[in-house]
Amino acid sequence: AGVIKPDKISINFLSQNLSYEVRKTSTEKVNRAMKMFGEITPEAAIVPVVANVRSFKTRELYNQYSKKKSSLKTPTAGFYTSGNNESVVLVRYDNNTANTVAHEIVHTINQHWYGQMARYTVHRARAVCHAGHHLRPLAEVRREFHHLSYHGLI
């Protein structure tokens, strides 16, 4: 398991429309998630992550940008595009927005920590990591990381 150093995550808020509270809360959630999953992630997988967050205050602007950058067919509160390493969120109530920002940043971390591993390594070599008292495949850890962030549990 690896140790998270302060320089392992850099969050760039590309828009200036998120409150201080949302930025603070989402950053705390991301740091908690990284610490928790850093304990069960192989040290070699823990690489520096730059997370770019773009936010929109209106559904109209969000939808216009979403149509250009994603293939989403249903309305969402946020999405992540790995092509330009960007998390995009619709600004709503502070708590909801902070959860969405943290969740979308988890996609960035997943991409950089777990997505960098070749699929054959995860599936054929059955790369595992230690979680509690048993070994689990990295793909399972990645899904759990995503699930916990989606439900605002980190």
Side-chain angles (χ1 to χ4, degrees):
V3 176
I4 310 301
K5 297 183 176 100
D7 62 346
K8 291 294 182 189
I9 181 83
S10 174
I11 302 173
N12 299 323
F13 292 100
L14 304 174
S15 309
Q16 300 302 313
N17 55 12
L18 293 175
S19 70
Y20 169 79
E21 192 58 36
V22 166
R23 291 191 316 266
K24 178 178 173 267
T25 302
S26 59
T27 300
E28 288 169 353
K29 286 175 174 284
V30 167
N31 286 329
R32 254 192 328 271
M34 289 181 74
K35 182 174 189 234
M36 180 172 49
F37 282 91
E39 293 174 4
I40 59 173
T41 301
E43 190 168 1
I46 299 175
V47 297
V49 174
V50 175
N52 299 304
V53 180
R54 184 177 307 277
S55 51
F56 293 92
K57 280 210 170 234
T58 69
R59 171 72 67 182
E60 180 183 0
L61 292 173
Y62 173 82
N63 287 342
Q64 286 173 2
Y65 193 79
S66 174
K67 285 177 186 173
K68 289 189 281 187
K69 298 292 183 177
S70 82
S71 59
L72 295 173
K73 301 293 181 215
T74 57
T76 63
F79 63 92
Y80 170 73
T81 59
S82 60
N84 61 344
N85 188 38
E86 184 176 74
S87 296
V88 181
V89 298
L90 174 63
V91 178
R92 298 165 296 144
Y93 300 105
D94 277 3
N95 191 46
N96 291 341
T97 301
N99 285 340
T100 302
V101 169
H103 173 78
E104 297 307 330
I105 291 173
V106 164
H107 285 292
T108 306
I109 297 165
N110 266 334
Q111 176 69 24
H112 288 84
W113 283 12
Y114 309 115
Q116 67 174 326
M117 296 178 193
R119 288 179 194 259
Y120 74 87
T121 302
V122 175
H123 295 293
R124 287 192 196 148
R126 304 196 54 86
V128 293
C129 61
H130 185 33
H133 300 293
H134 62 285
L135 295 173
R136 297 184 354 203
L138 280 175
E140 183 181 320
V141 173
R142 182 178 184 177
R143 281 191 302 276
E144 184 176 338
F145 195 17
H146 179 266
H147 175 79
L148 290 172
S149 73
Y150 180 78
H151 294 287
L153 300 174
I154 52 173

